[in-house]
Amino acid sequence: LGAGGSLSLSALRQHMSILKSLGYLWENKLVFGPIALLAGMLIFTLGFQMYTMMTSVLTSLIWGGVALRSARAVANKETSVCSATIAFWILAQLLEASVWVPVAGSMISLFKPVLLPIFLAIGDEVLKLALTLLGENYNYLAGTCAAVSVAYILNVD
């Protein structure tokens, strides 16, 4: 805006140039529409691939840190830390198994870097609550999980 609140001549020319360009794009929308759509899809795909790579790196760093913490706890015979890290590893493996669920698994895998520190912080309490709720059914569930794990590892059909 100029001194009196009016548009300056150069600003007006710039606005008219932008409007002319938009008009040209609109007239040729059958050509530029698919190009814009492809460009948008490419940008989304690249962004999603970057996010997936970042979550994989963060997940690996978290696992490495907890593995070092677990090894230190075992070496120093710190039972309180051992129970928390064992709970973390159990919940982390359940998370890894849930990634194979067809639709929900891909959504869960996006939040791994958020869920893993939560498992480390409150994993012990979550497992205590789950065992309390399962009660006597725990043995049946544990046996079933063990059988499924062995079948998966050995690729038994």
Side-chain angles (χ1 to χ4, degrees), residues 17 20 26 28 32 37 53 73 75 79 82 94 97 139:
S17 173
K20 189 187 294 184
W26 182 253
N28 297 305
F32 291 112
L37 184 65
M53 183 186 71
T79 56
C82 283
L94 288 174
N139 291 330

Side-chain angles (χ1 to χ4, degrees), residues 21-38:
S21 298
L22 289 175
Y24 177 75
L25 289 175
W26 182 253
E27 289 172 2
N28 297 305
K29 61 185 168 222
L30 295 178
V31 174
F32 291 112
I35 291 172
L37 184 65
L38 286 173

Side-chain angles (χ1 to χ4, degrees), residues 7-75:
L7 287 173
S8 68
L9 188 58
S10 63
L12 186 59
R13 283 185 186 150
Q14 184 180 5
H15 287 294
M16 293 303 291
S17 173
I18 291 172
L19 289 175
K20 189 187 294 184
S21 298
L22 289 175
Y24 177 75
L25 289 175
W26 182 253
E27 289 172 2
N28 297 305
K29 61 185 168 222
L30 295 178
V31 174
F32 291 112
I35 291 172
L37 184 65
L38 286 173
M41 288 176 21
L42 179 67
I43 290 170
F44 176 78
T45 303
L46 288 175
F48 184 73
Q49 291 296 325
M50 289 292 291
Y51 181 77
T52 303
M53 183 186 71
M54 295 285 289
T55 58
S56 297
V57 168
L58 283 173
T59 299
S60 298
L61 288 174
I62 292 168
W63 279 8
V66 175
L68 291 173
R69 181 180 178 192
S70 299
R72 192 175 332 121
V74 169

Side-chain angles (χ1 to χ4, degrees), residues 39-124:
M41 288 176 21
L42 179 67
I43 290 170
F44 176 78
T45 303
L46 288 175
F48 184 73
Q49 291 296 325
M50 289 292 291
Y51 181 77
T52 303
M53 183 186 71
M54 295 285 289
T55 58
S56 297
V57 168
L58 283 173
T59 299
S60 298
L61 288 174
I62 292 168
W63 279 8
V66 175
L68 291 173
R69 181 180 178 192
S70 299
R72 192 175 332 121
V74 169
N76 296 336
K77 297 179 179 154
E78 299 171 2
T79 56
S80 63
V81 176
C82 283
S83 65
T85 54
I86 288 172
F88 167 83
W89 288 114
I90 291 169
L91 292 173
Q93 293 308 309
L94 288 174
L95 181 67
E96 283 299 310
S98 69
V99 169
W100 292 99
V101 175
V103 175
S106 60
M107 296 304 293
I108 291 170
S109 68
L110 293 175
F111 296 103
K112 268 192 209 175
V114 175
L115 293 173
L116 290 176
I118 292 172
F119 291 166
L120 187 59
I122 62 170
D124 204 17

